[in-house]
Amino acid sequence: MSMNRLIDRIVELKNPTVAGLDPKLGYVPNYIKEAAFEKYGYTLKGAAKALLEFNKGLIDALCEVVPAIKPQCAYYEMYGPAGVKTLYKTMEYAKEKGMLIITDGKRNDIGTTMEAYSIGHLGLTDVNGKQLSAFGGDMLTVNGYLGTDGIKPLLKVCDELDKGIFVLVKTSNPSSGELQDRLIDGKPVYEIMGEMCEKWGAESVCDPYGFSNVGAVVGATYPEQLKALREKMPHTFFLVPGYGAQGGGAEDVRHAFNKDGIGAIINSSRGIMCAYQKRGFEEKDYAQAAYLEAIRMRDDIQGVL
Amino acid sequence: MSMNRLIDRIVELKNPTVAGLDPKLGYVPNYIKEAAFEKYGYTLKGAAKALLEFNKGLIDALCEVVPAIKPQCAYYEMYGPAGVKTLYKTMEYAKEKGMLIITDGKRNDIGTTMEAYSIGHLGLTDVNGKQLSAFGGDMLTVNGYLGTDGIKPLLKVCDELDKGIFVLVKTSNPSSGELQDRLIDGKPVYEIMGEMCEKWGAESVCDPYGFSNVGAVVGATYPEQLKALREKMPHTFFLVPGYGAQGGGAEDVRHAFNKDGIGAIINSSRGIMCAYQKRGFEEKDYAQAAYLEAIRMRDDIQGVL
């Protein structure tokens, strides 16, 4: 079961965190950009190549201390097909280095189309009888607004290929409450979505950790809701954004974990990618700065568990 | 204003329909597949090249009668980076032929990330001061579960570059009601989402049609809700899936239009792409069959307006 693959690695590294790879050109050291632009010009391809080099350096520095990366599709799609190729190459490189991949795409659609997303991001694509991996992520973030038949095709792939999903439940942004906090029969929408996650995952709950293949995204910026959801969703593993740059701290994310100190993976994107800029490192030491920030974050969170 | 660009073209062609380009290998004539596989092998690239040829034939046949295409990202991502390149090339080709592009990606994320999606799919990407088009769609489908700050970055791009969005309100799939039909203060969730669309679009409503840049996705498979939403959302243009293969007919979609016969664009995907298979045409006449089905669909819908 996929959550077990992730949790095993978290336990092994004693580190319940994930490095969000949401690279912007502004984060990339000049020497990397200059080399790429010299070779490919000021083009989308040049930008995409620079991002790939930047990511590889981060992966090299993080792969032995951080269990997973979470590339955010938007920052790759922004550079067109060349950017999407960098997404693929980043994932391929991280896998080679033993990291798990949480593809942050928040995909959603009706059943037949969701099947295509499931195959593309987690499964195998059939080409004349050959089974090929299109992107090959381990887990995918999804949006459950369309209900069960937008989720079922994912469950099939998760079951067959040992993969997982994270459904948006309570997001970390300021306006998340506009819909998510509204009450249905006295319960907020995010709680209804949380109940659906427990239902969708019911058949894949497994030992030794007791979590299913269906995880949930719950923001660190709403610690009270995080605490309530942890209690109401005992079999749902949490992906928690909002630590660091968005304002959440270790005390805020503590409630995402159960009494065994398991139950969540905490994301940091800018905190890790831009560590060298924030801490006054030289550009060439950007990966070392990211490593030190990853260690600091690990210890910060381990300190409250 | 982007909805005007779309509506102008609908009025010009007297055709409120859009061709959904959601190609599967099973839809592609053998002679196209064989040529691609001979050149590129049974690879993702071979499959992607076959889909591109198939799409180009459809676009050639449809461009003078159908105002827009709606490529569904999932069916391209299924073939990895090569598939995404086919998405790009399909869009580029359709634009050259004068068609508008509704990118069906149902993207959604928090503000800063949604900005990246907005730039990638509708806007211009900055590479060292050069403004480059990554995908260059005219409109994008989005999911509003995250609330206003997941929509705002799109409005900025729509305003500056004359583009539009379609927010999921009531989707066409069987389980759409699990969340969307639940009541909040006596109103179904889809109606709350509809009210948000009217609010998000309020500043971009414009003459001569009276619609904003913020459209809504409302399925043909729920005609009663479609009718109610048309009344409650007078400034919101509708993208209506579910006609044809999913079961919706002309009588079902009639209510998506206002008294002037304007207000919606009706999608058909499989009905058009697979017309040759359903009507017993030879493979080489697949584009001609698609053309005839597009004309039949146009006349079917015009007949009830």
Side-chain angles (χ1 to χ4, degrees):
Chain A
M1 293 294 140
S2 172
M3 283 306 162
N4 281 3
R5 284 204 289 138
L6 179 63
I7 303 170
D8 282 345
R9 188 70 178 153
I10 288 172
V11 170
E12 192 181 347
L13 297 178
K14 296 188 180 60
N15 188 357
T17 72
V18 51
L21 294 190
D22 313 351
K24 292 187 177 188
L25 277 184
Y27 302 166
V28 179
N30 286 307
Y31 73 91
I32 292 177
K33 282 190 282 200
E34 281 161 15
F37 290 142
E38 191 164 321
K39 199 161 174 188
Y40 302 101
Y42 294 123
T43 60
L44 295 171
K45 186 173 181 178
K49 291 281 187 181
L51 298 182
L52 179 59
E53 274 312 295
F54 178 62
N55 283 349
K56 282 184 171 178
L58 291 172
I59 291 165
D60 286 337
L62 300 172
C63 64
E64 287 176 15
V65 291
V66 178
I69 60 164
K70 182 176 76 63
Q72 164 56 258
C73 295
Y75 293 99
Y76 301 89
E77 293 176 18
M78 205 177 131
Y79 297 95
V84 175
K85 193 166 179 187
T86 278
L87 171 63
Y88 175 83
K89 292 270 182 192
T90 297
M91 290 168 65
E92 188 181 46
Y93 192 77
K95 263 193 286 190
E96 283 170 19
K97 297 280 174 171
M99 299 183 92
L100 289 159
I101 320 268
I102 303 172
T103 306
D104 198 354
K106 299 187 176 61
R107 297 303 195 246
N108 63 108
D109 216 290
I110 65 167
T112 46
T113 301
M114 206 61 207
E115 201 177 310
Y117 275 133
S118 308
I119 289 169
H121 288 285
L122 301 174
L124 295 168
T125 301
D126 183 288
V127 177
N128 215 58
K130 278 178 79 176
Q131 304 297 316
L132 306 170
S133 174
F135 282 99
D138 296 293
M139 281 153 279
L140 176 69
T141 62
V142 302
N143 185 318
Y145 187 74
L146 288 88
T148 300
D149 46 43
I151 299 293
K152 266 203 176 156
L154 295 155
L155 301 183
K156 186 163 171 277
V157 172
C158 288
D159 196 45
E160 288 170 3
L161 296 174
D162 203 15
K163 307 276 174 129
I165 58 172
F166 290 100
V167 181
L168 298 189
V169 168
K170 175 67 183 168
T171 58
S172 60
N173 56 313
S175 70
S176 69
E178 286 175 8
L179 177 65
Q180 298 163 28
D181 292 357
R182 301 291 298 270
L183 300 181
I184 292 173
D185 293 340
K187 278 180 203 165
V189 166
Y190 65 76
E191 204 180 306
I192 305 268
M193 193 60 84
E195 288 173 359
M196 293 206 258
C197 290
E198 284 278 311
K199 196 182 78 182
W200 292 326
E203 286 179 28
S204 64
V205 175
C206 70
D207 292 330
Y209 307 109
F211 290 98
S212 78
N213 285 341
V214 179
V217 175
V218 186
T221 45
Y222 299 99
E224 287 307 310
Q225 284 92 329
L226 187 54
K227 188 177 177 179
L229 288 170
R230 178 72 288 153
E231 283 168 22
K232 287 173 197 289
M233 301 167 71
H235 310 102
T236 304
F237 199 79
F238 288 174
L239 169 62
V240 182
Y243 174 92
Q246 286 182 57
E251 272 302 322
D252 297 316
V253 303
R254 186 166 60 90
H255 302 295
F257 298 87
N258 64 20
K259 60 179 172 33
D260 304 322
I262 287 174
I265 189 161
I266 314 299
N267 180 72
S268 172
S269 300
R270 276 169 283 173
I272 287 176
M273 284 185 296
C274 306
Y276 77 102
Q277 293 173 330
K278 287 179 188 155
R279 291 158 161 238
F281 277 75
E282 289 192 37
E283 283 196 327
K284 69 176 177 38
D285 298 323
Y286 82 96
Q288 173 67 5
Y291 171 83
L292 293 173
E293 168 59 19
I295 296 286
R296 190 207 60 75
M297 180 186 176
R298 178 196 68 188
D299 296 345
D300 184 37
I301 293 167
Q302 281 294 0
V304 298
L305 294 185
Chain B
M1 293 294 142
S2 171
M3 283 306 161
N4 282 2
R5 284 204 291 138
L6 179 63
I7 303 170
D8 282 344
R9 187 70 179 151
I10 288 172
V11 170
E12 192 180 346
L13 296 179
K14 298 187 178 58
N15 188 359
T17 72
V18 49
L21 293 189
D22 314 353
K24 291 188 176 187
L25 277 184
Y27 302 165
V28 179
N30 286 307
Y31 73 91
I32 292 176
K33 282 190 283 202
E34 280 160 16
F37 290 143
E38 191 165 319
K39 199 161 174 188
Y40 302 100
Y42 295 123
T43 59
L44 295 171
K45 186 173 181 178
K49 291 281 186 180
L51 299 182
L52 179 59
E53 274 312 295
F54 178 61
N55 284 349
K56 281 184 172 177
L58 292 172
I59 291 165
D60 286 337
L62 300 172
C63 64
E64 287 176 16
V65 291
V66 178
I69 60 163
K70 181 176 77 63
Q72 163 56 255
C73 295
Y75 293 99
Y76 301 89
E77 293 177 18
M78 207 177 130
Y79 297 94
V84 175
K85 194 167 178 185
T86 278
L87 171 64
Y88 174 84
K89 292 270 181 191
T90 297
M91 291 168 64
E92 189 182 46
Y93 192 76
K95 263 191 288 189
E96 282 169 20
K97 298 281 174 170
M99 300 184 90
L100 289 159
I101 320 269
I102 303 172
T103 306
D104 197 355
K106 299 188 174 62
R107 297 304 195 246
N108 63 108
D109 217 292
I110 65 168
T112 47
T113 301
M114 206 61 208
E115 202 177 307
Y117 276 134
S118 309
I119 289 170
H121 289 284
L122 301 174
L124 295 168
T125 302
D126 183 288
V127 177
N128 215 56
K130 277 178 78 174
Q131 304 297 315
L132 305 170
S133 174
F135 283 99
D138 295 293
M139 280 152 278
L140 176 69
T141 61
V142 302
N143 185 317
Y145 187 74
L146 289 86
T148 299
D149 46 43
I151 299 294
K152 267 203 175 156
L154 294 155
L155 302 182
K156 186 163 171 279
V157 172
C158 288
D159 194 45
E160 288 170 3
L161 296 175
D162 203 15
K163 306 278 175 131
I165 59 171
F166 289 101
V167 181
L168 297 188
V169 169
K170 174 66 183 168
T171 57
S172 60
N173 57 313
S175 71
S176 69
E178 286 175 10
L179 177 66
Q180 297 164 28
D181 291 356
R182 301 291 300 269
L183 300 181
I184 292 173
D185 294 340
K187 279 182 203 165
V189 166
Y190 66 77
E191 202 179 309
I192 305 268
M193 193 60 83
E195 288 173 358
M196 292 207 254
C197 290
E198 283 279 311
K199 197 182 77 182
W200 292 326
E203 285 179 30
S204 63
V205 174
C206 70
D207 293 330
Y209 307 109
F211 291 99
S212 79
N213 285 341
V214 179
V217 175
V218 186
T221 45
Y222 298 99
E224 286 307 311
Q225 285 93 330
L226 188 53
K227 188 177 178 180
L229 288 170
R230 177 70 291 150
E231 282 168 20
K232 287 172 197 291
M233 302 167 70
H235 310 102
T236 306
F237 199 79
F238 288 172
L239 168 62
V240 182
Y243 174 92
Q246 286 183 59
E251 273 302 321
D252 297 316
V253 303
R254 188 167 56 92
H255 302 295
F257 298 88
N258 65 21
K259 61 177 171 34
D260 303 321
I262 288 173
I265 189 161
I266 314 299
N267 181 71
S268 173
S269 301
R270 277 169 283 172
I272 287 176
M273 284 185 296
C274 306
Y276 77 102
Q277 294 173 330
K278 286 178 189 157
R279 291 160 162 239
F281 277 75
E282 288 192 37
E283 285 195 327
K284 66 175 178 36
D285 297 323
Y286 82 94
Q288 173 68 5
Y291 171 81
L292 292 173
E293 168 60 18
I295 296 286
R296 189 207 62 74
M297 182 186 176
R298 177 196 69 189
D299 295 344
D300 184 38
I301 293 167
Q302 281 295 1
V304 297
L305 294 185

